Amino acid sequence: MRFFCSKDCPDTCAIEAEIVNGKPVFKGVAESWQKTGFVCSKFKVFAEREIGTSVRSYRRIDGNNHYFDNDEAAVGAMAEMLEQYRHKKILYLKGSGSLGYNMGYWDRLMSGFEHAYKIKGSVCDVTGEDAHEADFGTPLNPPVENIADCDTAILFGKNAAVVSQHLFAYLKELKKHGLKIIYIDPIRTKTADIADRYIPIRPACDGLLAAALMTSLGLEDGHDTEKCLSRAGISAEDFEYLKSSISSGRTAFIQGFGIQRNPNGMNIVRLINRLAVKSGNERNLFYGHASKRYWKGLGVKFNNSVPINEVAQRLAEGEFDLFVNVAANPAMTFADAKNWMKGIERTPTIVVDVQPNRTSENCDLFIRTGGIFAQQDLMASYFFEHAHSRDRLTNELSDTDIVSRLSTLLNIPVNMAEPESAIPEGRQFRDEFVRPLFPEEHGRFSLMSMSHHAYLNSQTLPQIAEGLKKAYINPADAAELSVADGDVLKISTETGCYTAYAEISGRVSPKVIMSWKNIPMLEGCINDAIPPILTDSGNGLVYYGIPADVAKVL
């Protein structure tokens, strides 16, 4: 059967899938640019982990897990718990650990509770989407195949090797045919290894670089080139290389989601947008499509909401009577993770996911779902024009099964009819001057995170964590702090702290401290030290460039 992956990479890779002798077999689907297609390493690992797992649904009583004999009993227990809190305040969160149109049926179910609170804002791509809405009226991309007609591709913080492996494979193929790749990032990630030139930059300064390029190339007046470049830490040689590359041919501008997770993230994206348009490359500008752009929305409305920067604190203070968490792991992946943990410990909590995680450690009810392998669904790619549908590969309990059963038990109608088609509207540039926002000069370390190739937002493979409890530090900073490889470092902010083993690495820029996201550290996790600060769009969270103190634990 034709299958597609709806994990939280944005590519929606197509796969031929079948169960042979009780085990899954996968192979790639041919592309116009690649005859065999491919199945990425991350998908294989998570398929092995999720299909036929021994994980079962359970109720937690007095610190002990009491496992249900079957799925019907587990879903029945969830219905009873939801009925118990039907007229009380329910905090509801659906994550992006397993994307897909039909996951929205959870929203339809939970909006049927009068006092359910949906989180207002997103930890994903909302700041960048707002930037594209402001500039073009839509976050719609041109066809990604336009990159094949370009001479150069500039990746702004887009670590495609890890978070967008289908796009990464496409870029590698185009490189064989002459595409020049420039990679700009404060951290030399795996993607930099295929670049013709890696350009280090200080955190949150990509917009300053774009502004300086526009003025220096004669595309737009009003930007202080020298001031922008000085703050961004861009060398004169790298700057001239960029200017020459943009002016000598067609250039693709590929924006990573990471650049919009800075305090000035919307401003950064808008300035890169302007550089692309002003240099004649609007048709080669890529951020990300909506994954449901080909279908009309579900039309779900909640009576109540809570701002994303307030939710952890309000949960920790005991405001909500029940927390319902579907396919998310906020105690690991959201800002202010320590308050998420506190809130879950004091609030009755239901977790629905394919595997237990940090959020479910203290939950009252864990419902195991088969995830994408059990879920009939449809979805479009963020970068490619792929729009796939799929049947379920296994007969395990799916999210749709759970919602359907709960709908009946709770007498809350949930319309599961096939979605209506929609025609995406093209973008149209709205020309207005955007003044660059300079990031704060705090004189401390800038705390950054990076995704490991085996990560997903809601899940982390336990066996890989032991070797990744690290804080990466530049050699010059290590020398100044008398830090050696293997020393234990404490990384602290006003919100919290975590500890990790030091690894001295030239891949990390000076005054940057980096740890893996969604990986447990020696003590805590990186998001224990991430405060709940809104980006300049007002509805996204800041994850990168947080001022931090770094000290060796003696």
Side-chain angles (χ1 to χ4, degrees), residues 213-226:
L213 284 167
M214 281 190 284
T215 296
S216 186
L217 289 167
L219 304 174
E220 186 171 89
D221 295 328
H223 304 300
D224 189 330
T225 299
E226 184 176 342

Side-chain angles (χ1 to χ4, degrees), residues 3 29 55 87 133 146 167 181 205 229 262 272 283 285 322 365 392 428 433 479 481 485-486 510 519 540:
F3 195 80
V29 172
V55 174
H87 303 294
E133 289 280 356
N146 287 5
L167 176 63
I181 298 175
C205 292
L229 292 180
N262 289 290
I272 296 172
R283 68 185 300 274
L285 169 66
L322 177 68
L365 189 64
R392 57 198 304 163
Q428 184 173 357
F433 185 75
L481 295 175
D485 277 331
I519 298 288

Side-chain angles (χ1 to χ4, degrees), residues 20-273:
V20 178
N21 297 325
K23 293 185 178 181
V25 176
F26 304 105
K27 63 179 181 180
V29 172
E31 305 274 1
S32 60
W33 49 273
Q34 188 180 59
K35 292 182 179 179
T36 60
F38 73 99
V39 181
C40 83
S41 58
K42 179 160 61 174
F43 178 82
K44 293 177 182 177
V45 169
F46 279 93
E48 292 173 0
R49 184 176 185 236
E50 293 178 20
I51 295 177
T53 178
S54 60
V55 174
R56 294 159 56 194
S57 302
Y58 61 82
R59 193 197 310 267
R60 191 168 180 83
I61 302 174
D62 296 330
N64 297 310
N65 296 342
H66 296 259
Y67 295 94
F68 293 100
D69 293 331
N70 53 61
D71 292 336
E72 185 176 351
V75 177
M78 183 172 178
E80 290 174 4
M81 195 167 179
L82 287 169
E83 183 63 48
Q84 179 184 351
Y85 291 92
R86 184 187 280 265
H87 303 294
K88 297 183 179 181
K89 293 180 71 171
I90 301 174
L91 176 65
Y92 164 64
L93 169 63
K94 176 171 62 67
S96 60
S98 181
L99 295 163
Y101 186 93
N102 289 344
M103 289 295 289
Y105 295 143
W106 277 108
D107 294 346
R108 280 186 169 167
L109 175 76
M110 294 307 300
S111 65
F113 290 88
E114 182 182 0
H115 303 292
Y117 282 69
K118 182 129 185 239
I119 294 175
K120 184 179 180 181
S122 171
V123 300
C124 294
D125 50 7
V126 65
T127 295
E129 285 186 354
D130 281 358
H132 279 260
E133 289 280 356
D135 289 335
F136 302 109
T138 176
L140 190 68
N141 273 345
V144 73
E145 288 78 13
N146 287 5
I147 302 174
D149 296 326
C150 293
D151 304 289
T152 302
I154 304 176
L155 279 67
F156 291 86
K158 180 66 178 177
N159 185 14
V162 170
V163 302
S164 194
Q165 293 188 27
H166 199 102
L167 176 63
F168 185 66
Y170 184 53
L171 291 173
K172 286 199 297 183
E173 184 67 23
L174 294 180
K175 182 179 172 69
K176 294 177 185 178
H177 299 282
L179 179 70
K180 180 171 68 177
I181 298 175
I182 302 172
Y183 182 67
I184 302 171
D185 202 300
I187 300 166
R188 189 183 179 104
T189 70
K190 288 182 67 176
T191 301
D193 295 343
I194 70 162
D196 295 88
R197 194 178 191 103
Y198 163 65
I199 298 178
I201 190 171
R202 289 176 184 150
C205 292
D206 303 75
L208 305 185
L209 172 59
L213 284 167
M214 281 190 284
T215 296
S216 186
L217 289 167
L219 304 174
E220 186 171 89
D221 295 328
H223 304 300
D224 189 330
T225 299
E226 184 176 342
K227 182 180 177 182
C228 287
L229 292 180
S230 175
R231 180 68 182 86
I234 300 293
S235 70
E237 183 182 3
D238 284 339
F239 187 63
E240 290 303 317
Y241 184 83
L242 281 166
K243 284 174 56 181
S244 174
S245 298
I246 293 171
S247 60
S248 63
R250 289 163 296 195
T251 304
F253 294 84
I254 303 175
Q255 302 166 334
F257 289 167
I259 58 174
Q260 50 101 45
R261 292 184 174 127
N262 289 290
N264 56 340
M266 183 173 178
N267 184 256
I268 291 172
V269 175
R270 295 196 69 189
L271 287 163
I272 296 172
N273 289 349

Side-chain angles (χ1 to χ4, degrees), residues 101-102 104-106 108-109 298 375 399-407 412-419:
Y101 186 93
N102 289 344
Y105 295 143
W106 277 108
R108 280 186 169 167
L109 175 76
L298 287 164
Q375 179 84 353
D399 286 270
T400 304
D401 293 335
I402 298 170
V403 171
S404 178
R405 182 61 178 153
L406 290 174
S407 171
I412 298 176
V414 176
N415 181 7
M416 293 185 176
E418 288 292 317

Side-chain angles (χ1 to χ4, degrees), residues 182-418:
I182 302 172
Y183 182 67
I184 302 171
D185 202 300
I187 300 166
R188 189 183 179 104
T189 70
K190 288 182 67 176
T191 301
D193 295 343
I194 70 162
D196 295 88
R197 194 178 191 103
Y198 163 65
I199 298 178
I201 190 171
R202 289 176 184 150
C205 292
D206 303 75
L208 305 185
L209 172 59
L213 284 167
M214 281 190 284
T215 296
S216 186
L217 289 167
L219 304 174
E220 186 171 89
D221 295 328
H223 304 300
D224 189 330
T225 299
E226 184 176 342
K227 182 180 177 182
C228 287
L229 292 180
S230 175
R231 180 68 182 86
I234 300 293
S235 70
E237 183 182 3
D238 284 339
F239 187 63
E240 290 303 317
Y241 184 83
L242 281 166
K243 284 174 56 181
S244 174
S245 298
I246 293 171
S247 60
S248 63
R250 289 163 296 195
T251 304
F253 294 84
I254 303 175
Q255 302 166 334
F257 289 167
I259 58 174
Q260 50 101 45
R261 292 184 174 127
N262 289 290
N264 56 340
M266 183 173 178
N267 184 256
I268 291 172
V269 175
R270 295 196 69 189
L271 287 163
I272 296 172
N273 289 349
R274 293 185 66 75
L275 173 60
V277 173
K278 298 281 184 177
S279 63
N281 288 291
E282 181 180 346
R283 68 185 300 274
N284 306 317
L285 169 66
F286 304 92
Y287 173 69
H289 294 288
S291 65
K292 305 173 184 65
R293 64 186 178 277
Y294 294 116
W295 306 282
K296 291 183 179 180
L298 287 164
V300 176
K301 292 185 179 180
F302 282 77
N303 294 328
N304 314 284
S305 65
V306 53
I308 194 166
N309 62 316
E310 298 178 10
V311 60
Q313 181 68 37
R314 288 169 63 172
L315 183 68
E317 291 174 350
E319 177 178 336
F320 300 99
D321 301 296
L322 177 68
F323 175 37
V324 177
N325 177 82
V326 177
N329 188 10
M332 175 66 76
T333 65
F334 277 47
D336 200 8
K338 290 184 72 173
N339 266 330
W340 277 102
M341 288 288 282
K342 291 178 183 176
I344 293 164
E345 287 173 1
R346 70 176 299 174
T347 308
T349 297
I350 300 171
V351 171
V352 181
D353 214 320
V354 298
Q355 292 279 338
N357 51 41
R358 195 184 193 211
T359 298
S360 68
E361 285 178 6
N362 293 297
C363 74
D364 298 84
L365 189 64
F366 175 79
I367 305 297
R368 198 270 169 178
T369 173
I372 68 172
F373 302 102
Q375 179 84 353
Q376 185 179 20
D377 220 329
L378 63 164
M379 182 177 164
S381 167
Y382 280 32
F383 277 90
F384 296 84
E385 290 302 316
H386 301 159
H388 297 305
S389 61
R390 66 165 184 241
D391 292 324
R392 57 198 304 163
L393 182 63
T394 73
N395 290 321
E396 298 169 287
L397 186 69
S398 73
D399 286 270
T400 304
D401 293 335
I402 298 170
V403 171
S404 178
R405 182 61 178 153
L406 290 174
S407 171
T408 299
L409 293 173
L410 295 167
N411 195 27
I412 298 176
V414 176
N415 181 7
M416 293 185 176
E418 288 292 317

